[in-house]
Amino acid sequence: MTSTVRRREFLSSLSVGIVSLAGCLSGSFPGSVQPDKTIYVGSYHWGFVLVDGNSEEQERVVLNRGDSLRIVAFNTLSSQSVGSLPESVRNAFPDHETLEERNEERIPHPSDGDFHELLEEANEQYPDHSLAIMPSGQFHMRGGMMMHPVSLPHSATTPVVRQLRATRRGDYTLSCLTYCGYGHPYMEIDGGLVVT
């Protein structure tokens, strides 16, 4: 057997494996498919806000197995991305003070340093975020990921739009995988998506 044949077999096996893996995790849709649900996911230091297609904030979004989901994700520091959202969605997002209060309620205060100073430092030094969706209770980047990380830079001009199919039942965590300062380990919504 020549090295060319072996290489073709390897590449063929690799592509079949990648395609089948992608099918297990989630199916992407062409932009023309009408989703069953749309959610808007805004990232901020150090959390996410979920707003549904009715412009109502949600703690979690429940999907039926097989549903298609359109995710519109953006960094709340990106004025152009935020400005491109429907007005009703923009109005549903909490103001800066409310988001800070949420952080203080759920993120442990540092043993040394001031929480607000660390937040200001993070806003200046680490303004970018990302969004990944994975089964709850699993380590980052392990199997079963529903949506691989998408970058949510503060300099983006438009939101990131992804369409997924809810192929596996379970609870899924929305998580930031881009280091963004002191509160980064707490930047997630555990069970933010539930597939029944």
Side-chain angles (χ1 to χ4, degrees):
M1 192 181 284
T2 68
S3 62
T4 304
V5 173
R6 279 190 215 125
R7 192 170 130 222
R8 281 188 195 140
E9 288 175 347
F10 171 75
L11 292 174
S12 177
S13 298
L14 180 63
S15 65
V16 168
I18 289 172
V19 168
S20 61
L21 178 64
C24 288
L25 303 181
S26 65
S28 295
F29 288 83
S32 61
V33 172
Q34 187 66 17
D36 294 302
K37 287 193 180 185
T38 297
I39 60 168
Y40 298 85
V41 182
S43 65
Y44 68 94
H45 281 87
W46 294 293
F48 294 102
V49 175
L50 298 176
V51 173
D52 66 16
N54 296 321
S55 302
E56 294 179 8
E57 186 176 357
Q58 302 294 319
E59 290 186 21
R60 65 183 23 92
V61 174
V62 178
L63 303 165
N64 294 314
R65 187 168 178 251
D67 280 355
S68 60
L69 173 67
R70 176 175 291 146
I71 297 172
V72 181
F74 57 95
N75 186 324
T76 58
L77 293 178
S78 169
S79 58
Q80 285 185 296
S81 292
V82 172
S84 70
L85 299 171
E87 184 178 0
S88 60
V89 172
R90 288 195 311 265
N91 292 338
F93 276 84
D95 61 24
H96 179 74
E97 290 76 24
T98 301
L99 296 177
E100 261 194 63
E101 288 172 11
R102 290 182 185 182
N103 279 343
E104 287 190 86
E105 291 170 3
R106 62 184 188 79
I107 298 174
H109 282 254
S111 57
D112 57 347
D114 180 73
F115 189 86
H116 294 284
E117 287 177 12
L118 291 171
L119 180 59
E120 291 303 316
E121 177 185 306
N123 275 311
E124 291 175 23
Q125 293 184 8
Y126 311 105
D128 298 333
H129 302 292
S130 62
L131 172 64
I133 303 174
M134 62 200 77
S136 297
Q138 292 193 10
F139 293 111
H140 298 311
M141 303 305 288
R142 288 189 57 191
M145 188 169 287
M146 183 183 229
M147 186 176 89
H148 288 277
V150 293
S151 180
L152 301 175
H154 76 288
S155 59
T157 57
T158 59
V160 174
V161 179
R162 292 289 183 269
Q163 286 196 205
L164 311 168
R165 186 174 297 282
T167 58
R168 292 188 180 181
R169 289 184 174 94
D171 294 358
Y172 292 84
T173 295
L174 285 70
S175 186
C176 176
L177 301 184
T178 301
Y179 182 75
C180 53
Y182 170 77
H184 170 71
Y186 308 97
M187 189 167 170
E188 64 180 22
I189 301 179
D190 187 27
L193 288 180
V194 178
V195 179
T196 60

